[in-house]
């Protein structure tokens, strides 16, 4: 599981701000402890972030602006591939959501287990560490 991966790689992840899905916050707070403050969870104090996160999912630009504004350096999301349609200079193009929202020049997929994906911002993590984790992923 992704939480096991984060726990094993604690030294790289613990000093960095992350984004987690709203429904996973309580579990992650329990599983990873206070060293990893969650971005949001099911408590009422985070409900304002739900609309903001949902709006950010409308476009690649909105998503990246959202992550930049909050200083997010890594992301843990459900591994639910879906297609999004983007308006590009070549017209409307259907793309896989993760491909379009996590451009490989900026983000690296370092863990995938069928339940969750963990992406890291390339500028926030050491290149050798990222390269090793990318190489360990099975190609799908």
């Amino acid at each position: 599981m992704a939480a096991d991966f984060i726990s094993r790689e604690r030294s790289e992840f613990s000093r960095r701000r992350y984004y987690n899905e709203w429904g996973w916050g309580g579990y992650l707070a329990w599983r990873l402890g206070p060293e990893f403050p969650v971005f949001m969870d099911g408590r009422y104090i985070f409900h304002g972030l739900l609309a903001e996160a949902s709006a950010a999912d409308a476009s690649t630009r909105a998503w990246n602006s959202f992550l930049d504004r909050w200083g997010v350096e890594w992301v843990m999301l459900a591994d639910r591939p879906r297609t999004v349609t983007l308006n590009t200079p070549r017209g409307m193009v259907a793309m896989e959501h993760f491909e379009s929202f996590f451009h490989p020049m900026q983000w690296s997929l370092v863990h995938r287990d069928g339940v969750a994906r963990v992406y890291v911002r390339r500028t926030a993590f050491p290149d050798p560490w990222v390269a090793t984790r990318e190489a360990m992923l099975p190609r799908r």
Side-chain angles (χ1 to χ4, degrees):
M1 280 207 58
D4 294 332
F5 171 73
I6 300 302
S7 189
R8 279 192 313 272
E9 301 286 344
R10 172 170 243 100
S11 63
E12 287 301 329
F13 285 98
S14 67
R15 300 176 312 277
R16 295 177 169 86
R17 187 171 177 91
Y18 74 104
Y19 174 87
N20 61 274
E21 294 199 18
W22 177 76
W24 290 1
Y27 169 74
L28 293 171
W30 169 79
R31 175 67 175 75
L32 298 174
E35 185 180 358
F36 292 88
V38 296
F39 188 80
M40 60 182 166
D41 66 28
R43 293 175 285 179
Y44 69 91
I45 60 176
F46 294 100
H47 284 189
L49 282 173
L50 291 174
E52 189 177 347
S54 180
D57 197 38
S59 73
T60 302
R61 176 176 282 144
W63 177 251
N64 285 299
S65 293
F66 172 72
L67 296 180
D68 290 347
R69 190 168 74 71
W70 286 99
V72 170
E73 295 174 295
W74 63 278
V75 174
M76 184 187 297
L77 294 172
D79 191 5
R80 291 187 300 259
R82 62 187 167 105
T83 302
V84 294
T85 303
L86 302 174
N87 190 5
T88 72
R90 293 177 292 162
M92 301 302 279
V93 175
M95 292 185 71
E96 201 273 334
H97 175 265
F98 292 115
E99 274 182 37
S100 61
F101 279 58
F102 293 97
H103 192 281
M105 295 297 288
Q106 298 168 339
W107 295 92
S108 172
L109 177 64
V110 295
H111 176 83
R112 183 178 186 191
D113 59 25
V115 174
R117 290 183 183 207
V118 176
Y119 287 89
V120 299
R121 197 181 288 265
R122 289 188 180 277
T123 57
F125 287 74
D127 290 338
W129 183 89
V130 170
T132 301
R133 289 356 172 248
E134 284 177 322
M136 292 171 60
L137 286 175
R139 299 289 174 221
R140 291 188 181 194

